[in-house]
Amino acid sequence: MATVRRVRHNLLAHLTVAGALLLPLVVTTASAASPPAPGPITLHSVIPAPAEVVPSSSGPFRITATTVLVAASAARPIAERLAAALRPATGFPLPIRPAGTTAITLLLNDAPDPWLGDEGYQLEVGTQGVALRANRPAGLFAGTQTLRQLLPTTVEASSVRPENWTVPAGLIRDRPRFPYRGTMLDLARHFHPPADVKRYIDEISRFKFNYLHLHLADDQGWRIEIDGWPRLTTVGGGPGTGVRGLGPGYLTQADYRELVRYAAERFVTILPEIDMPGHVNAAQVAYPSLTCDGVAPRQRTDIRVGYSSLCTSKESTYVFVEDVIRQLAALTPGPYLHVGGDEALSTRHEDYLAFEQRVLPLVAKYGKTAYGWHEIAAAPAATDAVIQYWSVSRDTPTVAAAAGAGAKVILSPADRTYLDMQYDLLTPGGLHWAGTIEVRTAYDWDPATWAHGVPADAVLGVEAPLWSETLRDYDDVEFQAFPRLAAIAELGWSPRSTHDWISFRDRLAAYGPRWTRRGVHFYRSPQIRW
Ligand code: TNX
């Protein structure tokens, strides 16, 4: 830094001698300490990094007022969504037509290309047009997200911009590394209304996340309507619930269905979670029969964990649990149902195991695969479940054993993926019990090899949970999630061979203006030359 300042001083001194002619050169050189001007957008600019990129030396494709979109049958809704995304800033009509001289064509392969699988796509860009091909609509959608990042950042503007709407020429063939790429929103500690959940879905789908885990119940609040148990939401989601009583609210079943639909349009699957047998104080305040002595506990709005437990020895507990599981399964088209299982510190271990041995199979009874925090690995029934690894230790023998016996594992190590951890001790909001997590910490690890003893083929993917103890509003959500979620997206989607901090850092810097234009309140990490 000191050297740079001295150089700058000398150059400015030189300027007074050499005169104005040198000004552009001097200014460029002297600003070496500040961010470099972003380079041109290339096929290598994309986050998450695509699997295969072959730039071409031909000229770019240019979207103009006469460009049309070509898409038939199941490709059409995706083309419509793409056109809707491109119209505001370009001001072009971009109609969907059977053919055109310059076109963006979305095609579903008649004969599947096995390499692409269900979510992969191929994007070819030449001077005359763009051809996007995939086996399935999910792949086309992923390809459109890539295409948007290949256009100038002003494409994010909400009104017409004068711009050369060019797309660099070449070929991208792309598919995900892991089938599960998720993030979690905690609606229990502070409720976040459906409109905010939708904004979050919009943002995560741009990075090709395909699961949104909703943490719907905890000690401080119950956030999903369950028929036959109205007090869960009227009391458990009512006024005074949430941390410090400041996060009231709940989803009706209609709200939940609408979120499922909205997410599905963006190829995101909702994973609902009801945490049990611990983290149930709000349910027990609403229904004291869920405790062993039948006495209502006091309402809790602090952020301690591990004090509440369902009464595992009462039959009526399982009537409640089955009601909840049956209704959530019916509301949820996705394959998984999350039954929590973490930090049940006030449930005796043998009771915990007996509880999980009954509850995990109940999920299967209603047609879903059970999913739980990694403590469930101790129960034999967990070998049929998905286990969410949140440990800060890389050695968790119960998980290794369950994975060896057939369980699938999602990597959410708290010291790498917990989006509620502070970036550093000075950032506002967030906790730091698992450490602080700067962007590079979130990026520089490998989900396939992280948990010792868990074979790579047992790893289904990666998820970044966003607990909401300190998140009052949606600005707080965005600040904690971005830019770290982009790092997790790349770990989940991109092949390991593309993993490169310097490349990621520079692509992230170039991505920043897109968030700025959309009004996303992201953390300007000092590790990135924004
Ligand atoms: C731990 S890790 C929890 C949550 C908290 C979170 C805060 C895990 C499965 N449970 O109850 O909200 O830490 O960071």
Side-chain angles (χ1 to χ4, degrees):
M1 192 61 158
T3 327
V4 173
R5 264 202 219 102
R6 213 170 308 121
V7 170
R8 184 186 180 137
H9 174 80
N10 290 342
L11 283 166
L12 289 174
H14 184 67
L15 176 69
T16 55
V17 180
L21 204 60
L22 272 179
L23 187 62
L25 174 69
V26 171
V27 170
T28 316
T29 316
S31 61
S34 53
I41 294 170
T42 74
L43 294 184
H44 289 285
S45 301
V46 178
I47 301 174
E52 296 179 6
V53 176
V54 187
S56 141
S57 54
S58 91
F61 174 63
R62 187 159 166 216
I63 302 180
T64 66
T66 61
T67 303
V68 302
L69 274 70
V70 178
S73 62
R76 193 176 169 114
I78 297 157
E80 269 160 9
R81 194 164 299 287
L82 175 64
L86 303 183
R87 281 177 195 133
T90 61
F92 302 147
L94 301 172
I96 320 277
R97 289 279 158 75
T101 42
T102 74
I104 300 173
T105 304
L106 279 67
L107 271 172
L108 283 166
N109 292 326
D110 287 331
D113 174 342
W115 189 89
L116 296 180
D118 284 351
E119 294 186 280
Y121 64 91
Q122 174 174 311
L123 183 72
E124 253 177 296
V125 184
T127 46
Q128 285 312 298
V130 172
L132 175 59
R133 292 186 178 81
N135 298 332
R136 315 261 303 159
L140 288 181
F141 181 80
T144 61
Q145 300 314 313
T146 294
L147 180 58
R148 293 170 77 179
Q149 286 190 40
L150 295 174
L151 285 160
T153 60
T154 42
V155 75
E156 305 294 344
S158 51
S159 57
V160 179
R161 296 295 139 129
E163 186 76 68
N164 269 329
W165 300 108
T166 57
V167 183
L171 174 71
I172 291 180
R173 277 172 63 79
D174 198 12
R175 64 175 181 188
R177 181 182 186 197
F178 293 109
Y180 185 103
R181 306 170 305 280
T183 176
M184 184 201 85
L185 257 189
D186 173 5
L187 299 189
R189 273 52 177 270
H190 285 96
F191 183 67
H192 297 280
D196 290 346
V197 179
K198 287 181 174 179
R199 287 168 75 182
Y200 196 61
I201 292 169
D202 288 343
E203 288 300 322
I204 68 172
S205 64
R206 288 174 177 264
F207 291 123
K208 306 184 174 83
F209 280 98
N210 62 347
Y211 278 89
L212 175 63
H213 168 183
L214 294 177
H215 185 74
L216 292 168
D218 213 299
D219 290 316
Q220 300 88 344
W222 184 287
R223 311 303 183 184
I224 178 74
E225 180 181 52
I226 301 293
D227 292 340
W229 301 83
R231 289 171 57 81
L232 287 173
T233 39
T234 57
V235 175
T241 62
V243 171
R244 290 192 283 154
L246 297 175
Y250 64 88
L251 300 174
T252 64
Q253 294 200 357
D255 291 334
Y256 181 86
R257 278 202 198 87
E258 166 59 13
L259 286 178
V260 165
R261 186 203 62 77
Y262 187 90
E265 270 184 358
R266 290 152 183 81
F267 298 88
V268 172
T269 300
I270 300 288
L271 163 68
E273 178 192 355
I274 296 296
D275 205 347
M276 51 191 159
H279 293 273
V280 294
N281 201 70
Q284 292 178 320
V285 171
Y287 290 99
S289 61
L290 296 174
T291 65
C292 280
D293 61 10
V295 177
R298 68 182 170 88
Q299 188 186 36
R300 294 284 292 259
T301 60
D302 60 275
I303 67 169
R304 273 185 290 277
V305 296
Y307 53 83
S308 63
S309 177
L310 288 175
C311 189
T312 60
S313 58
K314 264 189 182 172
E315 266 320 292
S316 58
T317 296
Y318 299 93
V319 173
F320 167 75
V321 168
E322 185 158 354
D323 254 1
V324 171
I325 288 175
R326 190 186 65 252
Q327 292 186 37
L328 272 183
L331 286 168
T332 303
Y336 304 118
L337 208 147
H338 200 307
V339 288
D342 61 315
E343 301 171 321
L345 307 178
S346 60
T347 316
R348 288 196 327 189
H349 191 58
E350 54 272 40
D351 295 343
Y352 177 84
L353 295 180
F355 179 84
E356 296 300 348
Q357 284 301 99
R358 281 190 73 167
V359 170
L360 297 174
L362 264 183
V363 176
K365 177 176 171 185
Y366 292 101
K368 302 294 173 188
T369 298
Y371 193 130
W373 298 106
H374 73 238
E375 287 92 327
I376 67 161
T383 51
D384 296 324
V386 175
I387 294 173
Q388 189 165 11
Y389 193 101
W390 63 272
S391 183
V392 294
S393 159
R394 295 180 65 178
D395 291 288
T396 308
T398 49
V399 178
K408 294 292 181 203
V409 180
I410 301 290
L411 270 290
S412 297
D415 52 344
R416 299 282 166 163
T417 67
Y418 269 30
L419 299 173
D420 61 315
M421 292 302 116
Q422 286 174 287
Y423 292 90
D424 65 40
L425 291 174
L426 297 177
T427 46
L431 306 173
H432 53 253
W433 66 264
T436 57
I437 305 180
E438 250 296 354
V439 181
R440 187 166 188 173
T441 309
Y443 183 75
D444 262 343
W445 63 286
D446 183 357
T449 57
W450 190 252
H452 295 156
V454 173
D457 63 6
V459 175
L460 199 59
V462 58
E463 181 183 298
L466 182 43
W467 301 99
S468 71
E469 282 93 332
T470 67
L471 311 183
R472 290 282 301 279
D473 59 26
Y474 190 67
D475 264 4
D476 296 341
V477 168
E478 287 182 334
F479 185 79
Q480 293 298 128
F482 304 110
R484 287 181 291 199
L485 211 41
I488 304 300
E490 184 142 316
L491 293 181
W493 179 279
S494 306
R496 193 64 192 169
S497 57
T498 65
H499 192 88
D500 177 8
W501 164 251
I502 298 298
S503 156
F504 178 72
R505 183 197 68 180
D506 292 348
R507 284 178 285 127
L508 196 56
Y511 193 90
R514 295 180 196 266
W515 277 322
T516 305
R517 289 206 182 267
R518 295 203 292 277
V520 173
H521 181 231
F522 69 99
Y523 166 64
R524 284 175 173 72
S525 163
Q527 295 183 334
I528 313 299
R529 295 195 262 167
W530 301 107

